[in-house]
Amino acid sequence: MTKDITKVTPYNSEATKKSQVEDMFDNIAPKYDLLNHVLSMKIDVLWRNTLVKMMKKDQPQEVLDVATGTGDLAITIEKGTGAKVIGLDLSQQMLNVGVIKIKKLKLDGKISMQKGDAENLPFEDNRFDAVSVAFGVRNFENLTKGLAELRRVVKDNKSVYILEFSKVEGFLGPFYMFYFKNILPAIGRLVSKDNRAYTYLPDSVNAFPFGEKMKQILLDTGFKKVEYKKLSLGIATIYKATK
């Protein structure tokens, strides 16, 4: 039986999921980029590039990147589309790493970073030409509320792009799941020194809806059209939800 995603938390403490997610990313921020690229063998770079190629067709002028973390997707969006990007994240420590990265690339005039909550976005309705979230919706405390907020701030007839882990199906599924549940958390613990962060990752992926289920949730949230593209045999999926 699949667990309720809202009940899967990083530290299994009495604190809210939102608070635990913030603490987790604050804890692993200094090693996050290194671990991300090592554990994914840099395939996450290809996934972000695929999302930006899809987004570029919309010719966005201003993009909101929610759960921006250290800004990898925000940077890829700016380079790929030329749009101004606002990166928003719960974790100040992740944002601090991102700000340094953006300054080094001399993109601080094009990308701004701010602390904020995806479920209570500090922006007016219909503001952005596109909204993106990479590996963040899985961490929302209230998935429906978070998705409704993404829809609220994007313009009519424009799209929200969600890049999220899904599940490898078919004969490779068990092998990938073994890596995901055993090897990946061990490496994550060793490098990040956080015992739960990389155990939470497979737990949250296992509990998260993907494919047709996620498409239906987005349609139920009020998006008029939803399409999705599986990446790398289904390890990740990009959802394009149009308002």
Side-chain angles (χ1 to χ4, degrees), residues 49-65:
N49 287 338
T50 301
L51 185 153
V52 172
K53 276 181 191 163
M54 291 168 70
M55 183 187 286
K56 191 176 181 181
K57 293 172 186 170
D58 295 350
Q59 300 179 311
Q61 301 300 304
E62 188 178 34
V63 178
L64 173 65
D65 183 41

Side-chain angles (χ1 to χ4, degrees), residues 154-168:
V154 77
K155 290 176 181 173
D156 285 340
N157 300 309
K158 298 295 184 179
S159 301
V160 172
Y161 293 84
I162 295 167
L163 169 58
E164 191 50 87
F165 286 113
S166 40
K167 288 182 191 168
V168 178

